[in-house]
Amino acid sequence: MNNEKVLGMPTDSDTLHFLDDECDGGASKELVWRLMVIDDEPDVHRATTFALAGVKILGRSLQFLHAYSAAEATQLLRTEKDVAVVLLDVVMEREDAGLALVKTIRQDFKLTELRIILRTGQPGYAPEIETIHDFDINDYKTKSELTRTKLYATVTAALRAYQQIRELDELAFYDRLSRLPNRNKFIDLSDERLESGNFLDDAIAILDIDDFSEINDALGHQQGDRLLQSVAERLKSELGSDVILARIGSDTFGLMGSTQRMEPLRVLSLFREPFWVHDDSMVVTATMGVTKSLGAGVTGRDALKDANIALKRAKKSRRGSYVMYSTEMGTDIRERVRLLQNLRSAVESERLFVVYQPQVNLKTGAVVGVEALIRWKKEDGSFVPPDRFIPLAEASGMIVAIGDWVLRVACDELVRFQALGLPNLRMSVNVSQIQFRHPDFLEKLRVALLETGTNPKYLELEITESVAMEDADFMLETLHKVRELGISIAIDDFGTGYSSLSHLRQLPIDRLKIDRAFVTELNQQVSGGHIAAMVVELGRNLNLTVIAEGIEDDGQAQTLLGLGCHEGQGYLYATPLLPQQFKEWYQARIAKVP
Ligand code: C2E
Ligand code: CA
Ligand code: CA
């Protein structure tokens, strides 16, 4: 066990102890439990100290503090630290002086570890159960009950509880390796400082050791730990006690202090000298994200987020240096986070739905299929475009559940469309890479087919070109398995990826989908549909059907038909439609194009 003295928060580091100090035997001063007797009758003070004179409890002797009124106790508790237990009279200068003091202790002083034993002279009088519960009062005794043995037992129980609470708090708020406050404690401490209003000239920073995981892997975890300790020690001694310093992540430190003490280049210069790990010297650098945006209402947690945004920027562009947070950096990311939270609740409250965009045979005009496209309608009636939320859903992993759900809904709808007299209609469903790579993907496909009664022959999955070209072996295998289920595969956004012809040739696919960008291009003089023509040619060579998306006018449709493109989809025919709208559109269309 360690025998260094512990660092608590920098402002009162000498008053906080790690509790394991008591078993190390090397601590310099004797450890005691501090008890405060608060009672307006001097006799009670005398009787209490007499009853407990000379006893040791849980290995420590007792030290008494005395207050003769609630007011005096309030004064004392302001300055005296580490009081473990108070023995508190209920009735003193006022009927409820004791209970009022309890409130002060818990709510104003936030002394949550301190144990409270209430004592009263009147046997009939007792505080409400709720009061005992709300203010975490340990014990309630009438004074006659406090005989020597009973008092000893009561105080022992309270001290044991105090010790346990302290241990839990140490675990919850301190990092054992660096002996610095941890992230939670850093947030508490910075909140305190922010609440006190003395932060106008302050900055909050996150300092990240560059390439720490590589160092850790190369040297082993023990050396890695030593290095962290060494960094922690240097930061602590060089920054001084005016700066709140914490270890907030495995290789990150949180700092809060005056802009002068926290001058980023000065802090980073602390890394110029090598660190000593046993007998080896090691040079490491660090990167910092700093925020000075500590206006009113900003919490420590907010500030850490801002500093982290700045840190990410710094790591991307200038490692070994720092970036100062600016509000513009935050809005972008916060908006994404808000969007993601909204998406989560949209999924829960079923504000997502699926629309279907028809696909037609360019030559005959016959309706051959529909593409299922997800929609998100917000409570205010506005829509969030999938191009905005799908990437977020992918990044957060939510796309797996969402994609699954789309697949289900689309299959159900397909069965219904077919029952309504569109027996050969094909349903195309977009599948994101994350979804596709999920280990349960094939199984979920199978179950969806089975449970919805979908004929796999009419189901098609759209996979973007860039995905199809990644990790060739895995793709090949999975695509084959999808095909074995009877499902067809289209390569979406074709022309935007980096397919090699040889790779494309191997893939078990059915259709190439020309990206909208190349269809739009058909109207432009310069590039003039060069890529669209190439894709059609490629499809012909590989024996694949080619479909063009985003056809908006008849000229484009005619050009594509002329190139030999088989199928088309776009506003020229229909926008994505709700199921009922699609049925109506279909009826109207066969009336025109039989
Ligand atoms: P995408 O797969 O390329 O889908 C085609 C997009 O083009 C759709 O946009 C469609 O509404 C739009 N579009 C169709 N015809 C025209 C046209 O004539 N002109 C123009 N300007 N646009 C047209 P949408 O619905 O906004 O979807 C955007 C993207 O979001 C999709 O691109 C797809 O990548 C993704 N997405 C949509 N639904 C899903 C889904 O269920 N799962 C996954 N993973 N992605 C989806
Ligand atoms: Ca698509
Ligand atoms: Ca596209």
Side-chain angles (χ1 to χ4, degrees), residues 492-493 514-516 549:
D492 206 357
D493 298 344
I514 306 177
D515 191 63
R516 189 169 81 221
E549 71 176 8

Side-chain angles (χ1 to χ4, degrees), residues 357 371-375 386-387 390 399 406 430-432 435 462 492-493 516 549-552 570-571 576:
Q357 186 173 33
E371 179 180 13
L373 293 160
I374 194 167
R375 291 293 175 265
D387 287 336
I390 294 283
I399 192 69
V406 172
N430 293 285
V431 176
S432 121
Q435 211 186 335
E462 294 193 4
D492 206 357
D493 298 344
R516 189 169 81 221
E549 71 176 8
I551 303 178
E552 292 186 355
Y571 296 168

Side-chain angles (χ1 to χ4, degrees), residues 263-363:
E263 212 290 294
L265 289 179
R266 188 183 95 82
V267 176
L268 290 172
S269 75
L270 300 176
F271 285 76
R272 246 180 242 150
E273 292 286 310
F275 291 91
W276 287 93
V277 174
H278 292 307
D279 292 336
D280 301 324
S281 77
M282 292 186 59
V283 179
V284 292
T285 57
T287 304
M288 258 198 338
V290 188
T291 176
K292 288 186 193 165
S293 312
L294 307 177
V298 171
T299 64
R301 203 179 288 275
D302 296 338
L304 267 189
K305 274 188 199 149
D306 291 348
N308 198 38
I309 289 166
L311 175 66
K312 279 194 181 149
R313 296 258 167 141
K315 282 209 277 192
K316 251 191 219 150
S317 55
R318 323 172 223 166
R319 283 168 148 249
S321 180
Y322 74 96
V323 162
M324 191 64 71
Y325 171 80
S326 72
T327 13
E328 299 86 74
M329 290 181 193
T331 37
D332 184 38
I333 294 173
R334 283 220 186 86
E335 208 164 281
R336 286 167 59 98
V337 171
R338 198 168 316 127
L339 197 65
L340 190 61
Q341 284 164 347
N342 289 343
L343 176 59
R344 208 158 272 144
S345 63
V347 173
E348 279 155 16
S349 54
E350 300 176 3
R351 260 177 276 123
L352 300 179
F353 59 99
V354 182
V355 287
Y356 304 88
Q357 186 173 33
Q359 302 174 331
V360 303
N361 180 308
L362 285 178
K363 205 182 278 176

Side-chain angles (χ1 to χ4, degrees), residues 11 29 39 66 73 87 101 139 273 304 329 340 391 397 427 435 478 481:
T11 45
K29 74 177 181 218
D39 205 303
H66 297 275
L87 293 148
L101 181 60
D139 220 332
E273 292 286 310
L304 267 189
M329 290 181 193
L340 190 61
M427 176 66 72
Q435 211 186 335
T478 315
K481 285 185 181 148

Side-chain angles (χ1 to χ4, degrees), residues 5-300:
K5 258 260 149 273
V6 175
L7 335 154
M9 38 191 279
T11 45
D12 61 356
S13 54
D14 51 346
T15 59
L16 262 174
H17 315 276
F18 269 86
L19 288 151
D20 53 16
D21 278 359
E22 69 178 307
C23 17
D24 67 17
S28 50
K29 74 177 181 218
E30 203 216 341
L31 289 160
V32 295
W33 297 120
R34 312 190 81 201
L35 266 61
M36 189 181 288
V37 182
I38 307 166
D39 205 303
D40 55 354
E41 294 172 52
D43 274 355
V44 174
H45 288 260
R46 270 193 296 276
T48 308
T49 40
F50 179 72
L52 296 170
V55 304
K56 274 202 165 195
I57 299 180
L58 304 169
R60 299 187 190 183
S61 44
L62 309 180
Q63 187 189 70
F64 288 94
L65 298 153
H66 297 275
Y68 296 86
S69 68
E72 193 185 342
T74 306
Q75 275 313 109
L76 263 182
L77 284 167
R78 237 187 258 285
T79 49
E80 295 295 333
K81 301 289 177 205
D82 284 348
V83 177
V85 174
V86 298
L87 293 148
L88 175 60
D89 191 13
V90 175
V91 183
M92 288 179 288
E93 58 261 58
R94 285 200 323 272
E95 273 289 294
D96 64 341
L99 287 177
L101 181 60
V102 169
K103 265 188 210 172
T104 309
I105 289 173
R106 295 292 192 229
Q107 290 181 341
D108 302 340
F109 294 168
K110 303 220 161 40
L111 296 170
T112 50
E113 298 171 340
L114 172 68
R115 298 295 87 205
I116 299 171
I117 299 166
L118 277 184
R119 300 201 285 188
T120 178
Q122 300 103 306
Y125 179 87
E128 308 276 329
I129 296 286
E130 291 93 81
T131 313
I132 293 189
H133 180 261
D134 290 352
F135 293 108
D136 189 17
I137 293 168
N138 254 68
D139 220 332
Y140 181 78
K141 293 277 188 284
T142 58
K143 287 181 190 171
S144 58
E145 278 183 280
L146 291 175
T147 59
R148 188 177 176 130
T149 35
K150 274 198 182 148
L151 190 59
Y152 178 82
T154 306
V155 169
T156 303
L159 283 173
R160 185 167 286 129
Y162 174 77
Q163 189 175 36
Q164 279 168 356
I165 292 169
R166 286 287 301 249
E167 270 165 351
L168 286 175
D169 282 357
E170 302 276 2
L171 271 183
F173 294 113
Y174 289 85
D175 164 48
R176 295 196 77 88
L177 178 71
S178 65
R179 313 201 129 209
L180 292 174
N182 66 10
R183 189 171 192 280
N184 287 337
K185 188 71 185 176
F186 182 77
I187 288 171
D188 283 357
L189 292 172
S190 53
D191 277 346
E192 255 170 48
R193 188 144 161 172
L194 288 167
E195 273 164 29
S196 76
N198 294 328
F199 58 80
L200 291 173
D201 186 39
D202 274 3
I204 285 184
I206 301 179
L207 186 148
D208 181 302
I209 300 175
D210 295 330
D211 302 316
F212 182 74
S213 61
E214 283 77 10
I215 298 173
N216 221 15
D217 288 346
L219 300 180
H221 286 248
Q222 257 185 348
Q223 295 289 86
D225 284 356
R226 297 271 172 191
L227 175 64
L228 282 172
Q229 283 170 329
S230 194
V231 171
E233 270 159 36
R234 183 173 303 169
L235 287 174
K236 190 170 169 61
S237 66
E238 294 291 328
L239 291 170
S241 60
D242 297 343
V243 173
I244 300 173
L245 173 67
R247 181 171 174 224
I248 60 171
S250 64
D251 57 353
T252 50
F253 295 89
L255 289 73
M256 179 179 191
S258 68
T259 44
Q260 192 207 347
R261 295 223 120 248
M262 299 254 307
E263 212 290 294
L265 289 179
R266 188 183 95 82
V267 176
L268 290 172
S269 75
L270 300 176
F271 285 76
R272 246 180 242 150
E273 292 286 310
F275 291 91
W276 287 93
V277 174
H278 292 307
D279 292 336
D280 301 324
S281 77
M282 292 186 59
V283 179
V284 292
T285 57
T287 304
M288 258 198 338
V290 188
T291 176
K292 288 186 193 165
S293 312
L294 307 177
V298 171
T299 64

